[in-house]
């Protein structure tokens, strides 16, 4: 009887104790960390899914919602990480990425697939002032519809060019008192001009009576030139023997200069050399040259002697097209202060290139005493 009474009292007491406290959820039960296995939280950056989330799926404490959580993990498309995408675009699905662009003009209406009636294969840019409008008009007429035309206006005058019909399909970029290479560095990024096989970056004071752009392209392809320029009329504005037109051939790639000017017949100014007044670059060559242009050295002096570093072998892939030639009209544009700046930039560029090469080869443990070898 005593055992029965004790048992009955214990049951009644336990019942009242149980109903006196809120329900204790196992999901909120905190166990000592020593009783649980150590779990390292590792997040996969590529998928955005974490080890912890996968563990939660199989946690017996989550069996009630396990099916929905597991489906969430397998169907989670909120995070993307693609390391092979361009830098900064890793979070985008690859098929939406458009890393390159062009200067093709688009309509503001209609079907985008029907915008372009033609897609020019080449690009020509001129850095211009309105005073040279007649000269530029004559030059533009030498370039067919296969060319996209870009004018960089250093005098701020753009609307006046509307008197020319071709101006309506040209790209006009206006920034006052800047140079050709300043514009090129900022508006001709290789990914922007990637649609064009060849890029002409020309001055405004060039006579083009004996020049045809389509024929020029044919000769450049025929002779495998990655960097080139038309030959210059021998009697006007000539600085280097290399760029002087020869009347007995289509193209030349080497020359003879004054004694002592060329330490190597395959190096500038005797070979692998064109001037910066009217250069023409292949798409691949321009990708290299653009990266070599310095942000602060805007006149480009010294750049022509370094172009050879962007093609190999340079003495074979850089040349002058003689049968399509131009005249450098040498319109006065450099005052004394500007000319001093040009010379200073040339010295600075040469120093930067020499120091950069020296640092590179020293990092490799190579002997840098013989600079001509590099």
């Amino acid at each position: 009887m005593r055992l029965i009474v004790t048992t009955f009292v214990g049951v009644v007491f336990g019942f009242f104790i149980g109903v006196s406290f809120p329900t204790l959820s196992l999901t909120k039960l905190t166990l000592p960390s020593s009783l649980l296995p150590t779990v390292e939280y590792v997040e996969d950056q590529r998928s955005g899914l974490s080890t912890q989330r996968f563990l939660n799926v199989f946690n017996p404490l989550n069996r009630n919602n396990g099916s929905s959580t597991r489906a969430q993990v397998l169907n989670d498309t909120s995070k993307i990480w693609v390391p092979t995408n361009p830098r900064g675009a890793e979070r985008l699905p690859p098929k939406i990425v458009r890393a390159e662009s062009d200067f093709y003009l688009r309509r503001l209406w209609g079907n985008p697939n029907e915008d372009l009636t033609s897609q020019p294969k080449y690009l020509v840019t001129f850095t211009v002032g309105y005073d040279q409008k007649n000269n530029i008009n004559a030059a533009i007429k030498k370039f067919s519809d296969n060319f996209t035309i870009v004018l960089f206006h250093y005098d701020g005058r753009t609307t006046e060019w509307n008197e020319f019909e071709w101006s309506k399909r040209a790209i006009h970029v206006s920034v006052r008192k800047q140079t050709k290479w300043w514009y090129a560095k900022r508006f001709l990024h290789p990914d922007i001009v990637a649609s064009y096989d060849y890029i002409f970056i020309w001055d405004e004071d060039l006579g083009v009576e004996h020049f045809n752009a389509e024929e020029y392209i044919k000769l450049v392809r025929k002779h495998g030139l990655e960097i080139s320029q038309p030959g210059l009329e021998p009697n006007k504005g000539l600085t280097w023997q290399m760029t002087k037109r020869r009347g007995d051939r289509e193209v030349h790639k080497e020359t003879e200069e004054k004694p002592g000017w060329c330490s190597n017949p395959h190096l500038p100014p005797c070979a692998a050399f064109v001037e910066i007044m009217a250069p023409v670059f292949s798409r691949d060559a321009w990708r290299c040259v653009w990266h070599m242009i310095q942000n602060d050295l805007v006149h480009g002096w010294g750049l022509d002697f370094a172009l050879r570093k962007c093609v190999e072998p340079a003495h074979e892939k850089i040349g002058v097209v003689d049968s399509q030639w131009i005249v450098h009209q040498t319109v006065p544009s450099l005052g004394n202060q500007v000319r001093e700046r040009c010379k200073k930039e040339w010295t600075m560029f040469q120093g930067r290139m020499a120091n950069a090469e020296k640092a590179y080869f020293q990092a490799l443990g190579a002997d840098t005493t013989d600079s001509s070898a590099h």
Side-chain angles (χ1 to χ4, degrees):
M1 180 61 71
R2 184 182 299 171
L3 179 61
I4 293 173
V5 172
T6 302
T7 302
F8 177 77
V9 172
V11 170
V12 173
F13 180 76
F15 173 78
F16 282 105
I17 291 295
V19 298
S20 300
F21 290 91
T23 303
L24 181 64
S25 173
L26 286 177
T27 60
K28 297 181 180 180
L29 182 63
T30 302
L31 297 177
S33 59
S34 59
L35 299 179
L36 295 174
T38 302
V39 178
E40 182 179 357
Y41 185 88
V42 180
E43 183 171 349
D44 184 347
Q45 286 187 327
R46 297 187 182 188
S47 65
L49 303 179
S50 66
T51 303
Q52 184 64 49
R53 291 179 62 186
F54 281 106
L55 291 177
N56 289 339
V57 173
F58 301 104
N59 189 333
L61 299 180
N62 291 334
R63 291 189 183 279
N64 291 338
N65 62 351
S67 297
S68 61
T69 306
R70 190 177 301 111
Q72 179 183 356
V73 170
L74 296 177
N75 296 309
D76 187 357
T77 58
S78 63
K79 291 186 178 180
I80 295 174
W81 187 263
V82 186
T84 54
N85 280 356
R87 187 177 67 176
E90 294 89 351
R91 298 184 185 278
L92 298 177
K95 289 189 177 181
I96 200 62
V97 173
R98 295 295 179 265
E100 299 174 345
S101 190
D102 53 64
F103 287 120
Y104 300 153
L105 300 180
R106 296 281 181 172
R107 301 179 303 178
L108 303 183
W109 63 90
N111 188 336
N113 295 329
E114 300 173 355
D115 285 349
L116 303 180
T117 57
S118 65
Q119 298 184 34
K121 298 164 58 179
Y122 317 116
L123 173 69
V124 57
T125 76
F126 292 92
T127 302
V128 302
Y130 187 66
D131 289 343
Q132 291 296 314
K133 65 173 184 175
N134 293 329
N135 200 55
I136 293 298
N137 181 48
I140 294 297
K141 292 179 179 178
K142 296 291 184 172
F143 293 86
S144 70
D145 290 340
N146 269 334
F147 287 81
T148 293
I149 301 167
V150 176
L151 296 188
F152 296 129
H153 300 271
Y154 60 76
D155 61 354
R157 302 175 66 180
T158 58
T159 57
E160 292 94 327
W161 292 82
N162 289 338
E163 65 182 273
F164 302 112
E165 180 63 27
W166 53 261
S167 179
K168 298 176 183 178
R169 61 181 176 89
I171 309 296
H172 297 267
V173 179
S174 178
V175 184
R176 292 177 62 84
K177 297 184 179 181
Q178 299 302 318
T179 70
K180 175 169 70 175
W181 299 108
W182 185 93
Y183 290 111
K185 186 65 173 178
R186 286 150 183 83
F187 296 101
L188 299 182
H189 187 282
D191 289 344
I192 297 298
V193 299
S195 297
Y196 306 105
D197 294 344
Y198 293 94
I199 299 100
F200 292 60
I201 304 180
W202 281 21
D203 290 349
E204 63 180 341
D205 59 343
L206 303 176
V208 293
E209 181 181 355
H210 305 283
F211 178 83
N212 179 282
E214 290 286 350
E215 293 301 318
Y216 183 91
I217 292 293
K218 290 179 182 179
L219 291 171
V220 164
R221 293 188 190 277
K222 176 181 176 180
H223 293 274
L225 299 180
E226 296 290 318
I227 301 175
S228 63
Q229 75 161 78
L232 291 177
E233 164 61 43
N235 298 323
K236 296 189 65 175
L238 187 67
T239 302
W240 305 99
Q241 291 298 311
M242 178 64 185
T243 57
K244 180 168 64 175
R245 179 179 72 93
R246 300 181 184 178
D248 59 348
R249 63 194 68 189
E250 291 180 334
V251 166
H252 73 268
K253 301 178 181 180
E254 59 184 20
T255 192
E256 292 185 0
E257 266 290 354
K258 299 176 182 178
W261 280 33
C262 297
S263 59
N264 185 316
H266 286 167
L267 294 180
C270 287
F273 176 77
V274 296
E275 295 187 70
I276 58 174
M277 71 177 72
V280 179
F281 304 95
S282 71
R283 180 193 298 110
D284 291 339
W286 177 244
R287 181 166 292 276
C288 172
V289 172
W290 184 89
H291 284 88
M292 188 166 57
I293 299 171
Q294 306 292 287
N295 290 322
D296 57 332
L297 307 184
V298 296
H299 290 286
W301 281 35
L303 188 64
D304 40 12
F305 279 79
L307 294 177
R308 63 186 180 88
K309 299 179 184 296
C310 286
V311 293
E312 181 66 32
H315 64 279
E316 290 292 335
K317 295 187 177 182
I318 299 179
V320 175
V321 178
D322 297 289
S323 58
Q324 294 294 319
W325 49 284
I326 60 177
V327 176
H328 187 200
Q329 298 171 339
T330 59
V331 175
S333 59
L334 297 181
N336 290 335
Q337 288 183 330
V338 175
R339 187 169 295 277
E340 286 300 316
R341 164 83 181 235
C342 291
K343 294 177 180 178
K344 183 178 294 185
E345 286 194 8
W346 192 347
T347 301
M348 293 174 66
F349 181 81
Q350 287 178 315
R352 290 181 189 182
M353 181 62 74
N355 291 336
E357 290 185 335
K358 182 178 180 180
Y360 171 76
F361 288 113
Q362 284 181 342
L364 296 178
D367 182 9
T368 61
T369 57
D370 184 9
S371 60
S372 63
H374 307 313

